Amino acid sequence: MSGDNLKWWQKTVVYQIYPRSFKDTTGNGIGDLRGVFENLNYLEGLGVETIWFNPFFNSPQGDHGYDVSDFRSVDPVYGTMRDFDELLNEIHNRNMKIVLDLVLNHTSDEHPWFKESVSSRENSKRDWYIWRDGKKTSGRKPPNNWKAIPGGSAWRYFKNTDQWVYFHFLPFQPDLNYRTPEVKKEMFNTIRFWLEKGVDGFRLDMLHSIHEDAKLRNDEFCLKLLPSEKNVASLFRKHKYDLNLPETFDFAMELRKVMDEYEPERFLVGEVFGTVEELAKYYGPNNNGLHSVFLFEFTSTAPSFKPRKISRVISRIEKALPPPFTPTYVYGNHDRDRYISLINRNIQKAKLLATMQLTLRGIPFIYYGEEIGMSNVDFKLKESQDPIGQKFSFFPIPLISKLIGFSLTRDRCRTPMQWNSELNAGFSVDYQIKPWLKVPETYKKINVAKQEKNPSSVLNCYKRLLKTRKANRSLQEGKFEFLTQNGLKKKCLAYRRYYFNEQIFVFLNFYKKEILIKSPINDPNLLFSTLSNRVALDLETYNGNIKLTPLEGIIFK
Ligand code: NOJ
């Protein structure tokens, strides 16, 4: 038994929209809020229920919206507050939900608060950011040895006051100081501002770095160059004093209190890094912290296409976050390589992974374009629009980024949505207009219009999956259990979801060979197969066994 009265966010499927790249209705080559409005039929038809928007607030766009200069506004690049209100209304009219991206950790250095703060040591907003004297024993030196995430010192020097300001990400994104009560008050009121408009939740940008050690102690050495999903240590630093501090876990609970002031229930999902076990702390000891967090360890494991490895991560997730805690299952976002590229654009594999994602116990997040199999696009670092790509543009060859398994420009996964086979994939109102990022030539084959007509397309596979999920409560609300009996474990990844007396089985064949499996129930009824033309399980033909063709995934009950 499980799942009594699960909340909307526990059952939902989230679709992430990078507004800049979804649909341009003004003809400036940049996507906008109206572009989303005009495509709500598409999203509703796809079957997703919640839309998460990357930041569209006023911003110099140095980091494409993650450098906010006014948290309560809509940047003219994306439209007006009226566009937003209309969009929100229409999303709600369709019984869908809307989640915004909240950048609590830092502001743009063009934010009026920072302009004040930087102006003098005595300014009333000085303590809104983290200012310190440098170490002066041997010339000008930053206050400690902390590293920013993309590399280099985490401190920026300002001559006018002869002090350094702390930033965790890029130098133009100074961190807010949450040890200053007014900062917290102001940001919590900003949250209320959007909640009062009716927003259903927030994705919390870099929440794990909200607090830094009060004494700003030097970070400890660690023999690790690059960060991994499991271990935040990188650039030879442990990140012991700037990430996942106890105060940050408490902060999650404070945020939850703000959310709980509102009815119906709102939703918080944190962008945080660490092991599943450590991240579980963000949920709060009594489930009174964040509603959920991204579990990127799974994100990087899924494309390995190794069922044993994948099932180990899922087991750890289930163990660390048993019901009523709700995990997330994410394959991509605006910072990472697209998963279809990581599996060499193999459509069958993509369908299998989608089947897994949409049937596990947790909240699936679909990144725009995944549903049509959009892949990475190569860019020269020198031409990068992404500030990270620009920072590394001295790298001689993209090969290096391949070697280290990291893409150095996030432009690769942010290209315009491929709507149709017209020029520029029909991204802009006038197809002649050059989009802000180039569209790959493959758009002529990989686009919404084309795939809508093809029953065996990736798009139609996602649609059928989402329909199956919606029609079966066990898939949305049921408990999860791996099936290992009868040697199943060796043959495929198999699990069941169960809710009261309903149970649903998912069998995923990760191998390129056909397999026969004994059915766990009498008279199984096929609900879905990655093969669009498969209508039944035909047990009689296979001596009472279920046949799975290579790379096939099925759902039955
Ligand atoms: C994480 C976001 O996902 C990324 O796109 C952004 O650049 C940084 N945080 C800084 O806000």
Side-chain angles (χ1 to χ4, degrees):
M1 303 262 191
S2 112
D4 281 344
N5 303 321
L6 285 203
K7 306 280 197 271
W8 68 266
W9 53 268
Q10 294 180 288
K11 302 184 263 188
T12 199
V13 175
V14 185
Y15 186 87
Q16 180 191 349
I17 291 187
Y18 196 68
R20 214 178 167 79
S21 293
F22 201 59
K23 175 78 192 185
D24 165 26
T25 61
T26 61
N28 62 357
I30 296 176
D32 44 59
L33 296 183
R34 284 228 80 79
V36 180
F37 189 100
E38 288 180 9
N39 285 290
L40 287 176
N41 279 347
Y42 167 70
L43 296 174
E44 206 181 354
L46 175 60
V48 294
E49 294 142 356
T50 298
I51 308 174
W52 151 31
F53 290 85
N54 288 97
F56 49 72
F57 318 110
N58 270 3
S59 156
Q61 303 294 330
D63 189 14
H64 298 128
Y66 283 97
D67 46 333
V68 181
S69 54
D70 179 355
F71 288 96
R72 303 188 194 186
S73 64
V74 172
D75 194 296
V77 165
Y78 300 116
T80 61
M81 192 57 95
R82 195 164 156 202
D83 291 331
F84 173 77
D85 291 338
E86 284 177 18
L87 179 60
L88 180 135
N89 235 331
E90 191 50 33
I91 288 176
H92 283 166
N93 284 343
R94 292 165 188 255
N95 259 327
M96 293 165 83
K97 306 278 185 187
I98 172 166
V99 166
L100 302 191
D101 206 317
L102 202 63
V103 191
L104 295 173
N105 183 66
H106 50 262
T107 69
S108 155
D109 62 359
E110 291 186 29
H111 196 295
W113 303 337
F114 188 73
K115 287 190 178 163
E116 277 197 51
S117 186
V118 78
S119 64
S120 83
R121 288 191 184 212
E122 286 73 42
N123 187 277
S124 61
K125 296 238 168 15
R126 187 66 171 179
D127 288 338
W128 282 45
Y129 297 86
I130 300 157
W131 292 98
R132 286 293 182 285
D133 289 337
K135 280 191 200 149
K136 291 205 179 135
T137 40
S138 54
R140 191 199 292 163
K141 263 191 160 180
N144 67 20
N145 69 355
W146 292 4
K147 293 258 198 266
I149 287 299
S153 169
W155 296 92
R156 176 174 168 196
Y157 181 69
F158 283 83
K159 205 169 168 193
N160 62 330
T161 55
D162 188 25
Q163 275 198 321
W164 300 71
V165 79
Y166 172 69
F167 62 93
H168 185 66
F169 200 67
L170 288 164
F172 56 82
Q173 292 163 315
D175 274 41
L176 282 165
N177 182 3
Y178 280 90
R179 297 188 193 274
T180 299
E182 295 86 33
V183 170
K184 203 188 277 180
K185 193 168 161 212
E186 168 64 29
M187 292 310 272
F188 284 8
N189 282 338
T190 296
I191 294 177
R192 293 187 180 99
F193 168 84
W194 291 106
L195 290 175
E196 266 146 44
K197 275 186 174 285
V199 162
D200 301 289
F202 300 98
R203 175 260 186 193
L204 304 161
D205 188 62
M206 294 184 27
L207 191 79
H208 61 323
S209 58
I210 281 288
H211 271 291
E212 302 70 32
D213 179 46
K215 294 187 195 141
L216 300 179
R217 278 171 281 187
N218 266 339
D219 204 351
E220 292 172 11
F221 176 80
C222 172
L223 195 63
K224 193 158 171 285
L225 175 64
L226 296 169
S228 63
E229 310 300 352
K230 277 202 217 166
N231 187 345
V232 291
S234 68
L235 303 169
F236 307 111
R237 294 282 185 275
K238 277 193 183 163
H239 283 288
K240 184 170 168 186
Y241 298 116
D242 57 347
L243 293 180
N244 295 326
L245 296 197
E247 295 94 313
T248 304
F249 296 123
D250 293 344
F251 186 83
M253 290 187 279
E254 288 181 67
L255 276 175
R256 174 63 174 268
K257 276 196 191 134
V258 178
M259 305 300 281
D260 287 348
E261 292 167 16
Y262 293 82
E263 293 262 344
E265 195 176 7
R266 313 298 165 98
F267 168 62
L268 289 174
V269 56
E271 188 207 25
V272 286
F273 292 85
T275 57
V276 173
E277 293 74 16
E278 181 165 34
L279 298 187
K281 294 187 201 157
Y282 280 105
Y283 289 72
N286 302 311
N287 214 348
N288 56 344
L290 304 187
H291 298 87
S292 200
V293 303
F294 292 119
L295 301 169
F296 293 120
E297 200 181 331
F298 176 80
T299 311
S300 55
T301 308
S304 72
F305 224 71
K306 295 194 175 117
R308 296 263 172 96
K309 215 169 147 187
I310 294 172
S311 65
R312 269 200 299 274
V313 178
I314 298 171
S315 298
R316 280 193 28 233
I317 292 176
E318 280 289 324
K319 191 164 170 224
L321 296 167
F325 297 100
T326 311
T328 56
Y329 284 102
V330 183
Y331 287 158
N333 67 26
H334 59 290
D335 294 331
R336 327 177 61 97
D337 277 353
R338 285 187 175 271
Y339 86 87
I340 187 110
S341 297
L342 302 175
I343 49 172
N344 293 323
R345 287 180 250 175
N346 183 319
I347 301 296
Q348 279 174 294
K349 287 188 176 180
K351 290 178 181 171
L352 192 78
L353 289 184
T355 310
M356 176 167 74
Q357 184 191 25
L358 293 166
T359 55
L360 286 170
R361 186 186 68 84
I363 312 164
F365 281 71
I366 300 171
Y367 180 50
Y368 83 96
E370 276 177 4
E371 76 278 19
I372 54 169
M374 271 172 62
S375 48
N376 288 336
V377 179
D378 283 332
F379 287 92
K380 290 197 180 109
L381 288 181
K382 284 204 172 59
E383 293 163 4
S384 180
Q385 303 261 359
D386 174 19
I388 299 291
Q390 286 161 15
K391 184 176 162 78
F392 291 106
S393 59
F394 62 88
F395 264 65
I397 26 171
L399 186 71
I400 293 187
S401 71
K402 276 207 177 120
L403 281 179
I404 58 176
F406 251 62
S407 101
L408 290 176
T409 172
R410 298 170 296 178
D411 289 351
R412 285 155 67 84
C413 64
R414 297 176 175 178
T415 55
M417 179 68 179
Q418 294 163 201
W419 290 106
N420 56 40
S421 312
E422 305 287 344
L423 202 59
N424 294 316
F427 171 66
S428 282
V429 61
D430 171 352
Y431 299 161
Q432 306 285 340
I433 286 159
K434 199 171 154 219
W436 77 285
L437 283 177
K438 76 176 171 212
V439 175
E441 272 311 298
T442 45
Y443 80 82
K444 286 176 193 142
K445 280 197 200 125
I446 302 169
N447 66 59
V448 172
K450 210 163 187 157
Q451 293 201 12
E452 267 174 344
K453 289 190 215 121
N454 174 3
S456 63
S457 64
V458 188
L459 178 59
N460 277 314
C461 178
Y462 269 87
K463 280 193 185 178
R464 287 188 299 114
L465 271 169
L466 286 160
K467 237 183 168 167
T468 310
R469 186 182 153 101
K470 210 166 265 178
N472 293 282
R473 254 182 121 164
S474 300
L475 289 178
Q476 302 163 45
E477 309 192 31
K479 278 195 176 169
F480 171 92
E481 185 181 74
F482 274 122
L483 302 176
T484 49
Q485 56 271 49
N486 301 327
L488 255 178
K489 202 170 162 186
K490 284 201 191 112
K491 292 189 175 165
C492 73
L493 198 69
Y495 47 87
R496 69 176 184 124
R497 301 285 311 277
Y498 56 106
Y499 180 81
F500 291 94
N501 46 19
E502 178 192 83
Q503 58 175 343
I504 294 210
F505 297 88
V506 181
F507 282 11
L508 306 168
N509 179 6
F510 275 80
Y511 302 106
K512 288 193 183 130
K513 57 174 199 272
E514 185 178 297
I515 47 175
L516 289 177
I517 297 170
K518 195 170 163 349
S519 174
I521 46 166
N522 294 329
D523 287 332
N525 184 3
L526 184 71
L527 301 175
F528 167 90
S529 162
T530 46
L531 299 178
S532 58
N533 52 5
R534 182 160 185 184
V535 288
L537 288 171
D538 293 331
L539 256 62
E540 302 78 46
T541 324
Y542 302 100
N543 216 2
N545 287 307
I546 295 174
K547 182 187 89 167
L548 285 186
T549 59
L551 300 175
E552 186 185 9
I554 56 168
I555 307 174
F556 60 94
K557 72 174 179 189

